[in-house]
Amino acid sequence: MRAIQGALIVSSSIQIILGYSQLWGIFSRFFSPLGMAPVVALLGFGLFERGFPVVGRCVEVGLPMLILFVVLSQYLKNVQIREIPILERFSLFICIALVWAYAQILTSGGAYNHSTEVTQINCRTDRANLISSAPWIKIPYPLQWGAPTFSAGQSFGMVSAVLVSLIESTASYSAAARLASATPPPAHILSRGIGWQGIGILLCGLFGTGTGSTVSVENVGLLGSTRIGSRRVIQICAGFMIFFSMLGKFGALFASIPFTIFAAVYCVLFGLVAAVGLSFLQFTNMNSMRNLFIVGVSIFLGLSVPEYFFRYSMAAQRGPAHTKAGWFNDYINTIFSSPPTVGLMVAVFLDNTLEVKDAGRDRGMPWWVPFRSFKGDSRNEEFYSLPFNLNRFFPPS
């Protein structure tokens, strides 16, 4: 844990520097609707293994959840109570509560008493006595595992994970903006988000969480499902999460929900994110063979290359990169196991090198360019100004 803490603290500097120095914003000028379409699409498509393959591990719980969520959130979304679209806004909570209760009935009724261990892990709601073993109150504090230790090899390995997080977060920002009917994030705003995310990783290292901080893809998809894009909602939710994180029993209660239920939800939410990526193609000329080549190759390699790394690792118990330099192995194996990262490298490279001279309109640049600066669109003030009048201290550039 102390080594992980040190690696997180060191690697967080990458996002902090790239964010607050505006370097990532400058690099984002190489992006276009054509280049970003495969990256955002792969953000959803690349997580297909967390969808129905997991639902199939406990189909009697996962499949009802999938069907119920689709019915309530789509077919019955216009049902209103006092002019409030209850089912559209709260379908996820309603479905999880109903199917969770159903899973509890199956568990209490002994449906899995004689099932295989794999089935019990994926279906039961009383795994490993989570609730009984969790403390009532546990307040986290910095360096709770002791002083962090620093190793160059481990830090370099963690840097690769931070770079992957940076790219996936960039795609998530674009998807969230589209689903919230906002303008694409200007370069300054994009860098600001990456910088704050780096601070989040730094705090993760100081508090010894064992993991870093990144954008939640499922929350981006949930934004599209509920049509709630208010930042005030996120601020309130963050307050609840900070408060309830200190109540161990509360966290253990939700940890007892079979992951199959969430996998069923992912089938919808990740699909929404992937569709948002494909929606960027409406601003490009898809009658162009150049564009067809870039989109097709980048999506295919974005799925195929990580699949190769995954299958190789499963068979050989190590990644394809296995030199004597462990940090280099971690770097390569992590980078090329991320579909959005592979997709970005291929799409952005091809988009900026292949017949680029006369392809501006085909790439969708006339639509994209005005949004690169904060003052390029008057709506940016509404969408991206800091809350509580903090723009006085951090004015947009």
Side-chain angles (χ1 to χ4, degrees), residues 32-46 168 170-179 217 220-221 268-284 286 295 298-299 340 347 363 367-368:
S32 71
L34 182 70
M36 288 305 295
V39 181
V40 179
L42 287 168
L43 192 66
F45 289 142
E168 294 182 353
T170 300
S172 296
Y173 295 157
S174 298
R178 290 283 294 161
L179 289 171
V217 180
V220 176
V268 177
L269 302 186
F270 292 162
L272 277 173
V273 174
V276 169
L278 297 179
S279 73
F280 279 102
L281 296 177
Q282 67 182 298
F283 306 109
T284 68
M286 291 312 293
V295 172
S298 56
I299 290 180
R363 299 168 65 202
W367 174 81
W368 186 266

Side-chain angles (χ1 to χ4, degrees), residues 75-92:
Y75 288 94
L76 301 179
K77 64 181 180 181
N78 293 323
V79 174
Q80 297 185 358
I81 299 178
R82 295 182 179 179
E83 299 183 354
I84 299 176
I86 294 294
L87 294 184
E88 182 182 38
R89 300 285 173 82
F90 303 104
S91 59
L92 180 62

Side-chain angles (χ1 to χ4, degrees), residues 102 151 389:
Y102 166 64
S151 167
N389 207 23

Side-chain angles (χ1 to χ4, degrees), residues 51-125:
F52 206 84
V54 179
V55 173
R57 297 175 188 172
C58 187
V59 69
E60 64 269 27
V61 172
L63 194 58
M65 178 65 193
L66 176 58
I67 295 174
L68 187 62
F69 184 48
V70 171
V71 170
L72 292 189
S73 65
Q74 301 301 316
Y75 288 94
L76 301 179
K77 64 181 180 181
N78 293 323
V79 174
Q80 297 185 358
I81 299 178
R82 295 182 179 179
E83 299 183 354
I84 299 176
I86 294 294
L87 294 184
E88 182 182 38
R89 300 285 173 82
F90 303 104
S91 59
L92 180 62
F93 293 110
I94 296 172
C95 293
I96 289 179
L98 292 176
V99 179
W100 188 12
Y102 166 64
Q104 177 63 41
I105 293 174
L106 292 178
T107 301
S108 302
Y112 305 113
N113 289 346
H114 304 290
S115 301
T116 63
E117 183 177 355
V118 174
T119 300
Q120 295 198 40
I121 290 175
N122 288 281
C123 298
R124 297 186 70 94
T125 59

Side-chain angles (χ1 to χ4, degrees), residues 42 51 57 78 81 143 156 160 171 174 235 248 260 262 277 284 306 325 377:
L42 287 168
R57 297 175 188 172
N78 293 323
I81 299 178
L143 308 181
F156 272 112
S160 63
S174 298
Q235 294 163 5
T260 309
F262 296 112
T284 68
D377 193 293

Side-chain angles (χ1 to χ4, degrees), residues 290-326:
R290 170 194 181 274
N291 290 0
L292 291 173
F293 176 84
I294 293 173
V295 172
V297 171
S298 56
I299 290 180
F300 185 85
L301 289 180
L303 293 172
S304 187
V305 172
E307 182 68 13
Y308 163 73
F309 273 73
F310 172 76
R311 293 191 181 188
Y312 191 103
S313 300
M314 291 295 293
Q317 298 301 309
R318 54 175 170 77
H322 48 90
T323 65
K324 293 183 179 180

